[in-house]
Amino acid sequence: CLLADHGFRLLAQAVEADRRYEPGCPVLLLCGEKDGAGSCRRYDKAWAKAEGLPLVWVPEAGHNANTDAPDFVNSHIEGFARKLFL
């Protein structure tokens, strides 16, 4: 519980500070359609829209989409990487 509390406090502080984060590499967002952890779906959708990032909704997956649908997630990551290096 203490670890979760700490993580949510850090997230709240980051959201409150409204700082922009500029990743220095290509980005692919993956989010489980059934992700119920905090506001992940809402934040991912807004981030993708604001920055023009690709967002893949992982069917029937929750917060750990890579565990819930590993073949689906891996195929999208591989396709994303392949486009970068070809």
Side-chain angles (χ1 to χ4, degrees):
C1 289
L2 291 175
L3 181 59
D5 176 65
H6 179 70
F8 282 118
R9 285 179 191 271
L10 290 176
L11 176 62
Q13 289 171 0
V15 170
E16 196 173 77
D18 197 26
R19 293 188 188 128
R20 288 191 50 85
Y21 173 73
E22 300 291 336
C25 61
V27 175
L28 170 65
L29 297 173
L30 294 133
C31 188
E33 288 180 343
K34 296 182 178 183
D35 190 337
S39 301
C40 288
R41 288 182 302 199
R42 183 167 52 93
Y43 286 157
D44 283 351
K45 188 175 181 180
W47 189 22
K49 183 177 181 181
E51 301 297 329
L53 300 172
L55 172 58
V56 176
W57 294 103
V58 183
E60 300 298 315
H63 189 61
N64 293 319
N66 56 318
T67 300
D68 296 338
D71 293 336
F72 183 90
V73 169
N74 288 340
S75 70
H76 279 80
I77 293 171
E78 289 170 4
F80 181 72
R82 199 173 295 116
K83 288 178 187 175
L84 294 174
F85 297 109
L86 290 182

